[in-house]
Amino acid sequence: MAEMTIRRFSVFSVAKMQGLLAFVIGLFIGVIYGLFFMVFGAAFSALMPQSENLAIGGIGSVVGGLVIMIVIPVFYGILGFIGGCIGALVYNLAAGIVGGIRFELESAVPVYAPPPPPQQWRAPA
């Protein structure tokens, strides 16, 4: 087992990864909220007495749901990027004082065993 220490992180690398992960999470949340907004907005406009103003409200809820599906992932991605920058900077400062995080690595590949010695070949008599 090898013991290693993480002394510092590349700030931009952590920020990119954190931004991407937050974007993907925001994509799931944005789709759920957007669909929720579209379905219930259209359902409420359908339950009301018919009027031309309510039809516009139903279309508005569909457009609002699509906007939510676009805005939330982008917003989460930007906040994740900023949070990754701040987190990596704070870690680098703390690791300079404390010394970093120690961890042990263990090989998942079995230890190499040497092959058996070669057999002597004898010609048939």
Side-chain angles (χ1 to χ4, degrees):
M1 285 185 258
E3 186 173 306
M4 299 192 154
T5 302
I6 300 175
R7 299 215 180 269
R8 65 183 324 253
F9 284 109
S10 168
V11 174
F12 189 65
S13 174
V14 172
K16 287 189 301 184
M17 183 59 73
Q18 193 74 12
L20 178 66
L21 292 174
F23 178 81
V24 170
I25 291 170
L27 195 60
F28 287 123
I29 291 172
V31 167
I32 291 170
Y33 278 131
L35 288 175
F36 183 80
F37 194 79
M38 288 199 289
V39 168
F40 284 107
F44 285 138
S45 67
L47 292 176
M48 296 294 178
Q50 294 300 324
S51 159
E52 64 246 7
N53 293 337
L54 292 176
I56 293 172
I59 293 172
S61 68
V62 171
V63 171
L66 289 174
V67 168
I68 287 172
M69 287 182 190
I70 295 170
V71 169
I72 287 181
V74 171
F75 183 68
Y76 271 47
I78 291 170
L79 286 181
F81 185 87
I82 293 169
C85 280
I86 293 170
L89 285 171
V90 169
Y91 177 83
N92 289 342
L93 290 173
I97 297 168
V98 178
I101 296 175
R102 284 197 171 147
F103 62 97
E104 290 184 14
L105 293 177
E106 183 176 308
S107 177
V109 180
V111 178
Y112 174 73
Q119 300 291 325
Q120 293 294 327
W121 182 76
R122 293 184 186 182

